[in-house]
mmCIF file of all heavy atoms in Angstrom:
data_model
loop_
_atom_site.group_PDB
_atom_site.id
_atom_site.type_symbol
_atom_site.label_atom_id
_atom_site.label_comp_id
_atom_site.label_asym_id
_atom_site.label_seq_id
_atom_site.Cartn_x
_atom_site.Cartn_y
_atom_site.Cartn_z
ATOM 1 N N ALA B 82 -5.155 0.668 -4.516
ATOM 2 C CA ALA B 82 -6.067 1.780 -4.768
ATOM 3 C C ALA B 82 -6.372 2.432 -3.421
ATOM 4 O O ALA B 82 -6.096 1.859 -2.363
ATOM 5 C CB ALA B 82 -7.342 1.256 -5.411
ATOM 6 N N PRO B 83 -6.914 3.644 -3.390
ATOM 7 C CA PRO B 83 -7.205 4.320 -2.115
ATOM 8 C C PRO B 83 -7.995 3.415 -1.155
ATOM 9 O O PRO B 83 -8.933 2.744 -1.553
ATOM 10 C CB PRO B 83 -8.021 5.534 -2.545
ATOM 11 C CG PRO B 83 -7.550 5.817 -3.934
ATOM 12 C CD PRO B 83 -7.275 4.472 -4.557
ATOM 13 N N VAL B 84 -7.583 3.404 0.105
ATOM 14 C CA VAL B 84 -8.199 2.550 1.125
ATOM 15 C C VAL B 84 -9.133 3.399 1.988
ATOM 16 O O VAL B 84 -8.723 4.443 2.518
ATOM 17 C CB VAL B 84 -7.123 1.891 2.008
ATOM 18 C CG1 VAL B 84 -7.770 1.043 3.096
ATOM 19 C CG2 VAL B 84 -6.179 1.045 1.159
ATOM 20 N N ASN B 85 -10.358 2.958 2.159
ATOM 21 C CA ASN B 85 -11.334 3.667 2.987
ATOM 22 C C ASN B 85 -11.220 3.143 4.422
ATOM 23 O O ASN B 85 -11.869 2.159 4.803
ATOM 24 C CB ASN B 85 -12.744 3.436 2.440
ATOM 25 C CG ASN B 85 -13.778 4.303 3.144
ATOM 26 O OD1 ASN B 85 -13.600 4.697 4.293
ATOM 27 N ND2 ASN B 85 -14.877 4.605 2.454
ATOM 28 N N LEU B 86 -10.416 3.806 5.215
ATOM 29 C CA LEU B 86 -10.161 3.333 6.574
ATOM 30 C C LEU B 86 -11.405 3.429 7.454
ATOM 31 O O LEU B 86 -11.634 2.570 8.315
ATOM 32 C CB LEU B 86 -9.022 4.138 7.208
ATOM 33 C CG LEU B 86 -7.647 4.007 6.540
ATOM 34 C CD1 LEU B 86 -6.627 4.836 7.307
ATOM 35 C CD2 LEU B 86 -7.200 2.552 6.488
ATOM 36 N N THR B 87 -12.217 4.443 7.266
ATOM 37 C CA THR B 87 -13.428 4.605 8.074
ATOM 38 C C THR B 87 -14.380 3.446 7.859
ATOM 39 O O THR B 87 -14.921 2.871 8.819
ATOM 40 C CB THR B 87 -14.130 5.931 7.734
ATOM 41 O OG1 THR B 87 -13.235 7.014 7.960
ATOM 42 C CG2 THR B 87 -15.377 6.117 8.582
ATOM 43 N N ALA B 88 -14.595 3.083 6.611
ATOM 44 C CA ALA B 88 -15.482 1.956 6.305
ATOM 45 C C ALA B 88 -14.915 0.654 6.826
ATOM 46 O O ALA B 88 -15.649 -0.210 7.340
ATOM 47 C CB ALA B 88 -15.714 1.884 4.801
ATOM 48 N N LEU B 89 -13.609 0.484 6.723
ATOM 49 C CA LEU B 89 -12.982 -0.745 7.216
ATOM 50 C C LEU B 89 -13.117 -0.848 8.733
ATOM 51 O O LEU B 89 -13.467 -1.905 9.271
ATOM 52 C CB LEU B 89 -11.510 -0.774 6.821
ATOM 53 C CG LEU B 89 -11.192 -1.167 5.375
ATOM 54 C CD1 LEU B 89 -9.721 -0.933 5.081
ATOM 55 C CD2 LEU B 89 -11.562 -2.619 5.118
ATOM 56 N N SER B 90 -12.849 0.245 9.438
ATOM 57 C CA SER B 90 -12.937 0.225 10.903
ATOM 58 C C SER B 90 -14.343 -0.113 11.374
ATOM 59 O O SER B 90 -14.530 -0.787 12.397
ATOM 60 C CB SER B 90 -12.513 1.575 11.476
ATOM 61 O OG SER B 90 -11.172 1.858 11.168
ATOM 62 N N ALA B 91 -15.348 0.340 10.629
ATOM 63 C CA ALA B 91 -16.738 0.096 11.010
ATOM 64 C C ALA B 91 -17.100 -1.382 10.954
ATOM 65 O O ALA B 91 -18.103 -1.799 11.548
ATOM 66 C CB ALA B 91 -17.668 0.890 10.097
ATOM 67 N N GLN B 92 -16.295 -2.180 10.281
ATOM 68 C CA GLN B 92 -16.565 -3.605 10.187
ATOM 69 C C GLN B 92 -16.152 -4.360 11.461
ATOM 70 O O GLN B 92 -16.415 -5.553 11.585
ATOM 71 C CB GLN B 92 -15.821 -4.212 8.986
ATOM 72 C CG GLN B 92 -16.264 -3.661 7.647
ATOM 73 C CD GLN B 92 -15.499 -4.286 6.495
ATOM 74 O OE1 GLN B 92 -15.068 -5.444 6.556
ATOM 75 N NE2 GLN B 92 -15.324 -3.514 5.430
ATOM 76 N N TYR B 93 -15.513 -3.651 12.402
ATOM 77 C CA TYR B 93 -14.989 -4.322 13.603
ATOM 78 C C TYR B 93 -15.480 -3.628 14.878
ATOM 79 O O TYR B 93 -14.675 -3.164 15.696
ATOM 80 C CB TYR B 93 -13.461 -4.349 13.555
ATOM 81 C CG TYR B 93 -12.930 -4.949 12.284
ATOM 82 C CD1 TYR B 93 -12.536 -4.128 11.225
ATOM 83 C CD2 TYR B 93 -12.859 -6.324 12.113
ATOM 84 C CE1 TYR B 93 -12.066 -4.674 10.030
ATOM 85 C CE2 TYR B 93 -12.381 -6.880 10.928
ATOM 86 C CZ TYR B 93 -11.997 -6.047 9.897
ATOM 87 O OH TYR B 93 -11.532 -6.599 8.715
ATOM 88 N N PRO B 94 -16.789 -3.564 15.096
ATOM 89 C CA PRO B 94 -17.305 -2.897 16.307
ATOM 90 C C PRO B 94 -16.927 -3.640 17.588
ATOM 91 O O PRO B 94 -16.991 -3.057 18.670
ATOM 92 C CB PRO B 94 -18.826 -2.904 16.084
ATOM 93 C CG PRO B 94 -19.070 -4.059 15.156
ATOM 94 C CD PRO B 94 -17.880 -4.098 14.247
ATOM 95 N N HIS B 95 -16.545 -4.920 17.457
ATOM 96 C CA HIS B 95 -16.172 -5.709 18.640
ATOM 97 C C HIS B 95 -14.737 -5.415 19.096
ATOM 98 O O HIS B 95 -14.276 -5.968 20.091
ATOM 99 C CB HIS B 95 -16.319 -7.203 18.340
ATOM 100 C CG HIS B 95 -15.455 -7.696 17.223
ATOM 101 N ND1 HIS B 95 -15.647 -7.323 15.922
ATOM 102 C CD2 HIS B 95 -14.388 -8.535 17.218
ATOM 103 C CE1 HIS B 95 -14.747 -7.906 15.148
ATOM 104 N NE2 HIS B 95 -13.974 -8.651 15.907
ATOM 105 N N ILE B 96 -14.029 -4.532 18.357
ATOM 106 C CA ILE B 96 -12.669 -4.144 18.742
ATOM 107 C C ILE B 96 -12.641 -2.619 18.855
ATOM 108 O O ILE B 96 -12.287 -1.913 17.905
ATOM 109 C CB ILE B 96 -11.629 -4.641 17.717
ATOM 110 C CG1 ILE B 96 -11.797 -6.135 17.489
ATOM 111 C CG2 ILE B 96 -10.209 -4.334 18.196
ATOM 112 C CD1 ILE B 96 -10.887 -6.719 16.440
ATOM 113 N N PRO B 97 -13.045 -2.089 20.003
ATOM 114 C CA PRO B 97 -13.184 -0.628 20.126
ATOM 115 C C PRO B 97 -11.865 0.129 20.022
ATOM 116 O O PRO B 97 -11.857 1.310 19.684
ATOM 117 C CB PRO B 97 -13.822 -0.443 21.504
ATOM 118 C CG PRO B 97 -13.471 -1.693 22.257
ATOM 119 C CD PRO B 97 -13.436 -2.784 21.241
ATOM 120 N N TYR B 98 -10.750 -0.550 20.348
ATOM 121 C CA TYR B 98 -9.460 0.132 20.318
ATOM 122 C C TYR B 98 -8.656 -0.378 19.131
ATOM 123 O O TYR B 98 -7.614 -1.022 19.270
ATOM 124 C CB TYR B 98 -8.717 -0.076 21.636
ATOM 125 C CG TYR B 98 -9.546 0.333 22.838
ATOM 126 C CD1 TYR B 98 -9.770 -0.546 23.887
ATOM 127 C CD2 TYR B 98 -10.124 1.600 22.907
ATOM 128 C CE1 TYR B 98 -10.541 -0.161 24.975
ATOM 129 C CE2 TYR B 98 -10.891 1.986 23.985
ATOM 130 C CZ TYR B 98 -11.105 1.094 25.021
ATOM 131 O OH TYR B 98 -11.878 1.459 26.093
ATOM 132 N N LEU B 99 -9.178 -0.080 17.944
ATOM 133 C CA LEU B 99 -8.547 -0.477 16.690
ATOM 134 C C LEU B 99 -8.109 0.769 15.941
ATOM 135 O O LEU B 99 -8.888 1.715 15.748
ATOM 136 C CB LEU B 99 -9.523 -1.289 15.830
ATOM 137 C CG LEU B 99 -9.080 -1.594 14.393
ATOM 138 C CD1 LEU B 99 -7.831 -2.473 14.385
ATOM 139 C CD2 LEU B 99 -10.217 -2.261 13.621
ATOM 140 N N GLU B 100 -6.851 0.763 15.515
ATOM 141 C CA GLU B 100 -6.316 1.874 14.729
ATOM 142 C C GLU B 100 -5.767 1.311 13.423
ATOM 143 O O GLU B 100 -4.863 0.468 13.431
ATOM 144 C CB GLU B 100 -5.202 2.589 15.494
ATOM 145 C CG GLU B 100 -4.573 3.740 14.730
ATOM 146 C CD GLU B 100 -3.418 4.387 15.481
ATOM 147 O OE1 GLU B 100 -3.257 4.109 16.681
ATOM 148 O OE2 GLU B 100 -2.665 5.159 14.843
ATOM 149 N N LEU B 101 -6.321 1.769 12.313
ATOM 150 C CA LEU B 101 -5.840 1.371 10.992
ATOM 151 C C LEU B 101 -5.076 2.534 10.378
ATOM 152 O O LEU B 101 -5.533 3.683 10.421
ATOM 153 C CB LEU B 101 -7.010 0.977 10.085
ATOM 154 C CG LEU B 101 -7.869 -0.208 10.551
ATOM 155 C CD1 LEU B 101 -9.005 -0.443 9.565
ATOM 156 C CD2 LEU B 101 -7.025 -1.462 10.712
ATOM 157 N N ARG B 102 -3.924 2.228 9.803
ATOM 158 C CA ARG B 102 -3.107 3.264 9.170
ATOM 159 C C ARG B 102 -2.801 2.856 7.730
ATOM 160 O O ARG B 102 -2.428 1.699 7.477
ATOM 161 C CB ARG B 102 -1.803 3.486 9.938
ATOM 162 C CG ARG B 102 -2.007 3.875 11.392
ATOM 163 C CD ARG B 102 -0.737 4.412 12.015
ATOM 164 N NE ARG B 102 0.342 3.438 12.000
ATOM 165 C CZ ARG B 102 1.573 3.670 12.485
ATOM 166 N NH1 ARG B 102 1.857 4.860 12.998
ATOM 167 N NH2 ARG B 102 2.496 2.743 12.454
ATOM 168 N N ASP B 103 -2.965 3.781 6.837
ATOM 169 C CA ASP B 103 -2.724 3.513 5.417
ATOM 170 C C ASP B 103 -1.360 4.088 5.017
ATOM 171 O O ASP B 103 -1.167 5.299 4.962
ATOM 172 C CB ASP B 103 -3.830 4.148 4.570
ATOM 173 C CG ASP B 103 -3.661 3.844 3.090
ATOM 174 O OD1 ASP B 103 -2.797 3.015 2.743
ATOM 175 O OD2 ASP B 103 -4.405 4.433 2.278
ATOM 176 N N ARG B 104 -0.424 3.195 4.777
ATOM 177 C CA ARG B 104 0.900 3.595 4.297
ATOM 178 C C ARG B 104 1.149 3.021 2.900
ATOM 179 O O ARG B 104 2.290 2.843 2.488
ATOM 180 C CB ARG B 104 1.996 3.127 5.266
ATOM 181 C CG ARG B 104 1.893 3.723 6.666
ATOM 182 C CD ARG B 104 2.189 5.212 6.659
ATOM 183 N NE ARG B 104 2.218 5.758 8.012
ATOM 184 C CZ ARG B 104 1.165 6.256 8.639
ATOM 185 N NH1 ARG B 104 -0.023 6.274 8.026
ATOM 186 N NH2 ARG B 104 1.273 6.737 9.860
ATOM 187 N N THR B 105 0.067 2.713 2.201
ATOM 188 C CA THR B 105 0.198 2.169 0.852
ATOM 189 C C THR B 105 0.526 3.296 -0.137
ATOM 190 O O THR B 105 0.322 4.478 0.147
ATOM 191 C CB THR B 105 -1.088 1.466 0.398
ATOM 192 O OG1 THR B 105 -2.167 2.416 0.376
ATOM 193 C CG2 THR B 105 -1.446 0.332 1.343
ATOM 194 N N LEU B 106 0.999 2.898 -1.280
ATOM 195 C CA LEU B 106 1.270 3.825 -2.378
ATOM 196 C C LEU B 106 0.389 3.462 -3.559
ATOM 197 O O LEU B 106 -0.069 2.311 -3.675
ATOM 198 C CB LEU B 106 2.743 3.753 -2.785
ATOM 199 C CG LEU B 106 3.760 4.262 -1.763
ATOM 200 C CD1 LEU B 106 5.171 4.021 -2.282
ATOM 201 C CD2 LEU B 106 3.548 5.727 -1.466
ATOM 202 N N PRO B 107 0.132 4.419 -4.444
ATOM 203 C CA PRO B 107 -0.669 4.090 -5.630
ATOM 204 C C PRO B 107 -0.025 2.957 -6.418
ATOM 205 O O PRO B 107 1.202 2.824 -6.460
ATOM 206 C CB PRO B 107 -0.655 5.402 -6.434
ATOM 207 C CG PRO B 107 -0.389 6.460 -5.412
ATOM 208 C CD PRO B 107 0.505 5.831 -4.391
ATOM 209 N N GLU B 108 -0.871 2.130 -6.989
ATOM 210 C CA GLU B 108 -0.365 0.993 -7.742
ATOM 211 C C GLU B 108 0.557 1.465 -8.857
ATOM 212 O O GLU B 108 0.306 2.470 -9.520
ATOM 213 C CB GLU B 108 -1.538 0.198 -8.325
ATOM 214 C CG GLU B 108 -2.378 -0.481 -7.238
ATOM 215 C CD GLU B 108 -3.540 -1.255 -7.802
ATOM 216 O OE1 GLU B 108 -4.420 -0.612 -8.389
ATOM 217 O OE2 GLU B 108 -3.542 -2.492 -7.664
ATOM 218 N N VAL B 109 1.643 0.725 -9.043
ATOM 219 C CA VAL B 109 2.650 1.100 -10.044
ATOM 220 C C VAL B 109 2.973 -0.096 -10.921
ATOM 221 O O VAL B 109 2.691 -1.251 -10.584
ATOM 222 C CB VAL B 109 3.953 1.584 -9.367
ATOM 223 C CG1 VAL B 109 3.712 2.837 -8.556
ATOM 224 C CG2 VAL B 109 4.546 0.485 -8.502
ATOM 225 N N ASP B 110 3.567 0.208 -12.052
ATOM 226 C CA ASP B 110 4.088 -0.823 -12.934
ATOM 227 C C ASP B 110 5.457 -1.239 -12.402
ATOM 228 O O ASP B 110 6.395 -0.433 -12.381
ATOM 229 C CB ASP B 110 4.198 -0.285 -14.354
ATOM 230 C CG ASP B 110 4.798 -1.305 -15.327
ATOM 231 O OD1 ASP B 110 5.021 -2.452 -14.901
ATOM 232 O OD2 ASP B 110 5.031 -0.930 -16.479
ATOM 233 N N LEU B 111 5.566 -2.491 -11.932
ATOM 234 C CA LEU B 111 6.825 -2.942 -11.349
ATOM 235 C C LEU B 111 7.986 -2.832 -12.325
ATOM 236 O O LEU B 111 9.139 -2.737 -11.915
ATOM 237 C CB LEU B 111 6.695 -4.397 -10.873
ATOM 238 C CG LEU B 111 5.764 -4.664 -9.688
ATOM 239 C CD1 LEU B 111 5.716 -6.148 -9.386
ATOM 240 C CD2 LEU B 111 6.225 -3.891 -8.461
ATOM 241 N N TRP B 112 7.670 -2.862 -13.578
ATOM 242 C CA TRP B 112 8.734 -2.919 -14.593
ATOM 243 C C TRP B 112 8.952 -1.568 -15.277
ATOM 244 O O TRP B 112 9.568 -1.494 -16.342
ATOM 245 C CB TRP B 112 8.388 -3.993 -15.632
ATOM 246 C CG TRP B 112 7.953 -5.271 -14.992
ATOM 247 C CD1 TRP B 112 6.705 -5.791 -14.962
ATOM 248 C CD2 TRP B 112 8.770 -6.156 -14.240
ATOM 249 N NE1 TRP B 112 6.678 -6.967 -14.245
ATOM 250 C CE2 TRP B 112 7.940 -7.221 -13.790
ATOM 251 C CE3 TRP B 112 10.124 -6.178 -13.892
ATOM 252 C CZ2 TRP B 112 8.412 -8.283 -13.025
ATOM 253 C CZ3 TRP B 112 10.601 -7.237 -13.133
ATOM 254 C CH2 TRP B 112 9.756 -8.272 -12.698
ATOM 255 N N SER B 113 8.483 -0.501 -14.658
ATOM 256 C CA SER B 113 8.583 0.819 -15.294
ATOM 257 C C SER B 113 10.025 1.264 -15.490
ATOM 258 O O SER B 113 10.306 2.099 -16.360
ATOM 259 C CB SER B 113 7.831 1.858 -14.451
ATOM 260 O OG SER B 113 8.391 1.924 -13.138
ATOM 261 N N ALA B 114 10.947 0.754 -14.699
ATOM 262 C CA ALA B 114 12.354 1.169 -14.815
ATOM 263 C C ALA B 114 13.092 0.449 -15.925
ATOM 264 O O ALA B 114 14.209 0.840 -16.287
ATOM 265 C CB ALA B 114 13.073 0.946 -13.486
ATOM 266 N N VAL B 115 12.485 -0.636 -16.435
ATOM 267 C CA VAL B 115 13.146 -1.413 -17.491
ATOM 268 C C VAL B 115 13.374 -0.511 -18.709
ATOM 269 O O VAL B 115 12.465 0.186 -19.167
ATOM 270 C CB VAL B 115 12.300 -2.641 -17.883
ATOM 271 C CG1 VAL B 115 12.914 -3.351 -19.099
ATOM 272 C CG2 VAL B 115 12.203 -3.603 -16.712
ATOM 273 N N GLY B 116 14.593 -0.541 -19.211
ATOM 274 C CA GLY B 116 14.938 0.299 -20.360
ATOM 275 C C GLY B 116 15.677 1.554 -19.968
ATOM 276 O O GLY B 116 16.268 2.220 -20.824
ATOM 277 N N GLU B 117 15.644 1.902 -18.668
ATOM 278 C CA GLU B 117 16.386 3.080 -18.220
ATOM 279 C C GLU B 117 17.886 2.782 -18.228
ATOM 280 O O GLU B 117 18.318 1.659 -17.967
ATOM 281 C CB GLU B 117 15.958 3.481 -16.804
ATOM 282 C CG GLU B 117 14.550 4.015 -16.698
ATOM 283 C CD GLU B 117 14.204 4.408 -15.262
ATOM 284 O OE1 GLU B 117 15.102 4.284 -14.384
ATOM 285 O OE2 GLU B 117 13.060 4.837 -15.010
ATOM 286 N N ASP B 118 18.666 3.793 -18.518
ATOM 287 C CA ASP B 118 20.122 3.656 -18.494
ATOM 288 C C ASP B 118 20.615 3.935 -17.073
ATOM 289 O O ASP B 118 21.191 4.983 -16.771
ATOM 290 C CB ASP B 118 20.761 4.635 -19.489
ATOM 291 C CG ASP B 118 22.278 4.428 -19.577
ATOM 292 O OD1 ASP B 118 22.743 3.357 -19.145
ATOM 293 O OD2 ASP B 118 22.964 5.349 -20.060
ATOM 294 N N SER B 119 20.296 2.982 -16.178
ATOM 295 C CA SER B 119 20.640 3.136 -14.758
ATOM 296 C C SER B 119 20.792 1.764 -14.132
ATOM 297 O O SER B 119 20.380 0.744 -14.717
ATOM 298 C CB SER B 119 19.551 3.914 -14.013
ATOM 299 O OG SER B 119 18.335 3.175 -14.021
ATOM 300 N N LEU B 120 21.403 1.737 -12.957
ATOM 301 C CA LEU B 120 21.537 0.477 -12.227
ATOM 302 C C LEU B 120 20.167 -0.108 -11.923
ATOM 303 O O LEU B 120 19.956 -1.326 -12.007
ATOM 304 C CB LEU B 120 22.322 0.705 -10.927
ATOM 305 C CG LEU B 120 22.615 -0.540 -10.079
ATOM 306 C CD1 LEU B 120 23.434 -1.553 -10.864
ATOM 307 C CD2 LEU B 120 23.352 -0.140 -8.796
ATOM 308 N N GLU B 121 19.206 0.770 -11.571
ATOM 309 C CA GLU B 121 17.845 0.313 -11.298
ATOM 310 C C GLU B 121 17.241 -0.330 -12.541
ATOM 311 O O GLU B 121 16.598 -1.384 -12.465
ATOM 312 C CB GLU B 121 17.001 1.500 -10.846
ATOM 313 C CG GLU B 121 15.572 1.158 -10.477
ATOM 314 C CD GLU B 121 14.808 2.370 -9.991
ATOM 315 O OE1 GLU B 121 15.426 3.281 -9.404
ATOM 316 O OE2 GLU B 121 13.574 2.408 -10.230
ATOM 317 N N GLY B 122 17.443 0.293 -13.696
ATOM 318 C CA GLY B 122 16.902 -0.257 -14.930
ATOM 319 C C GLY B 122 17.493 -1.605 -15.258
ATOM 320 O O GLY B 122 16.779 -2.538 -15.674
ATOM 321 N N VAL B 123 18.810 -1.737 -15.095
ATOM 322 C CA VAL B 123 19.475 -3.021 -15.366
ATOM 323 C C VAL B 123 18.963 -4.102 -14.425
ATOM 324 O O VAL B 123 18.693 -5.236 -14.831
ATOM 325 C CB VAL B 123 21.012 -2.863 -15.231
ATOM 326 C CG1 VAL B 123 21.697 -4.229 -15.325
ATOM 327 C CG2 VAL B 123 21.545 -1.919 -16.296
ATOM 328 N N TYR B 124 18.811 -3.742 -13.151
ATOM 329 C CA TYR B 124 18.363 -4.719 -12.148
ATOM 330 C C TYR B 124 16.978 -5.265 -12.478
ATOM 331 O O TYR B 124 16.747 -6.479 -12.503
ATOM 332 C CB TYR B 124 18.365 -4.052 -10.766
ATOM 333 C CG TYR B 124 17.735 -4.875 -9.673
ATOM 334 C CD1 TYR B 124 18.391 -5.970 -9.117
ATOM 335 C CD2 TYR B 124 16.460 -4.561 -9.186
ATOM 336 C CE1 TYR B 124 17.806 -6.728 -8.119
ATOM 337 C CE2 TYR B 124 15.867 -5.304 -8.182
ATOM 338 C CZ TYR B 124 16.557 -6.393 -7.658
ATOM 339 O OH TYR B 124 15.961 -7.146 -6.673
ATOM 340 N N PHE B 125 16.031 -4.362 -12.765
ATOM 341 C CA PHE B 125 14.670 -4.823 -13.050
ATOM 342 C C PHE B 125 14.599 -5.551 -14.393
ATOM 343 O O PHE B 125 13.770 -6.445 -14.562
ATOM 344 C CB PHE B 125 13.686 -3.642 -13.008
ATOM 345 C CG PHE B 125 13.276 -3.263 -11.616
ATOM 346 C CD1 PHE B 125 13.919 -2.238 -10.931
ATOM 347 C CD2 PHE B 125 12.255 -3.951 -10.970
ATOM 348 C CE1 PHE B 125 13.543 -1.904 -9.632
ATOM 349 C CE2 PHE B 125 11.869 -3.619 -9.674
ATOM 350 C CZ PHE B 125 12.522 -2.595 -8.999
#
């Protein structure tokens, strides 16, 4: 789910040179490809 980087950074005042980066993606159904007529569908 969306990550609040500002709130997270505020929890670490003892580390002034802290950089948090959010490269997450919205949560997905891992099995959404199942049933597709594709190599990806067959694999999952």
Side-chain angles (χ1 to χ4, degrees):
V84 178
N85 188 334
L86 296 181
T87 302
L89 281 171
S90 298
Q92 297 180 30
Y93 306 97
H95 61 292
I96 307 176
Y98 306 126
L99 171 64
E100 179 183 347
L101 299 178
R102 302 194 300 180
D103 183 9
R104 298 292 185 270
T105 61
L106 293 176
E108 293 180 296
V109 297
D110 178 6
L111 292 178
W112 313 109
S113 60
V115 173
E117 292 181 2
D118 185 17
S119 64
L120 183 60
E121 182 178 330
V123 172
Y124 171 75
F125 280 96

